[in-house]
Amino acid sequence: MGGGDSKLVDHLLHYGFENVSVLDISAKALERAKERLGEKAEKVTWIVGDISDFKPTETYDLWHDRATFHFLTEAEDIEKYRNMVQNHVRGYLIIGTFSENGPKKCSGLEISQYTEEKLSAVIGEAFQKINCLTIDHKTPFDTYQNFLFCSFRKR
Ligand SMILES: C[S@@+](CC[C@H](N)C(=O)[O-])C[C@H]1O[C@@H](n2cnc3c(N)ncnc32)[C@H](O)[C@@H]1O
């Protein structure tokens, strides 16, 4: 979710994951990832779309979102995202957001910061928390962003 041109998809394919989908609002970012992957890109379902409008047609064993969910700042959009993962994730959910010690903006846009408690509450009772950790992510500009990562299992 919001995979952009990150290399997670390369690693998932390398380790034998199948039926991998990558959604991003930026067609250009997905094009860059496709070019990088070459023929392997054909194994991936590429979806250009806005997470707020996404209406999945399937359910996923694993859902990964690093630094996209936190762009949702309206209660209505956050609620829609929660309903989407409740209805379309049957296995595991991994979400990374800026923590309360992290930046207040990402790419110049307002974001929602999360604590472990806040993220667990937002994701809701349909998921059981497995683990949460915070890390300082070093950006390409040699600055640090404090992230919260939490993993959940569908109950
Ligand atoms: C900070 S980047 C993170 C990219 C990747 N997940 C990573 O960790 O390297 C945020 C990504 O979210 C995408 N994005 C932002 N708002 C979005 C939205 N409303 N719907 C879908 N993708 C969005 C951006 O295009 C960008 O690729």
Side-chain angles (χ1 to χ4, degrees):
M1 185 54 58
D5 63 355
S6 82
K7 292 186 178 163
L8 176 63
V9 60
D10 308 36
H11 295 293
L12 291 174
L13 294 175
H14 175 77
Y15 285 110
F17 282 79
E18 294 178 337
N19 301 319
V20 179
S21 301
V22 180
L23 177 143
D24 203 279
I25 201 166
S26 166
K28 278 190 182 164
L30 296 186
E31 278 309 316
R32 282 196 294 272
K34 281 189 211 176
E35 275 174 28
R36 189 182 64 234
L37 281 163
E39 276 182 12
K40 287 189 205 153
E42 288 165 24
K43 295 181 178 175
V44 177
T45 302
W46 302 96
I47 305 165
V48 178
D50 186 326
I51 46 172
S52 302
D53 302 330
F54 183 43
K55 302 208 169 33
T57 52
E58 46 196 320
T59 54
Y60 299 95
D61 291 322
L62 169 65
W63 180 287
H64 179 277
D65 179 325
R66 180 175 78 166
T68 301
F69 172 63
H70 70 190
F71 282 113
L72 302 181
T73 54
E74 299 294 326
E76 188 188 340
D77 290 334
I78 293 169
E79 177 68 20
K80 267 184 0 195
Y81 189 101
R82 182 231 295 259
N83 289 336
M84 181 166 61
V85 294
Q86 281 186 359
N87 293 326
H88 294 279
V89 179
R90 61 172 168 237
Y92 295 88
L93 175 62
I94 301 169
I95 300 196
T97 67
F98 285 166
S99 79
E100 288 202 326
N101 295 320
K104 292 185 166 42
K105 288 188 171 185
C106 188
S107 309
L109 299 171
E110 297 288 333
I111 56 95
S112 301
Q113 295 179 327
Y114 286 91
T115 60
E116 177 173 343
E117 293 71 27
K118 187 175 160 191
L119 185 57
S120 305
V122 162
I123 290 307
E125 285 297 310
F127 289 88
Q128 182 182 9
K129 183 177 70 188
I130 301 171
N131 193 24
C132 291
L133 52 89
T134 54
I135 60 153
D136 279 322
H137 167 69
K138 190 177 179 189
T139 71
F141 315 106
D142 283 346
T143 58
Y144 287 90
Q145 301 173 328
N146 194 253
F147 268 82
L148 169 75
F149 282 94
C150 289
S151 54
F152 302 89
R153 183 187 295 117
K154 188 82 179 282
R155 288 185 199 274

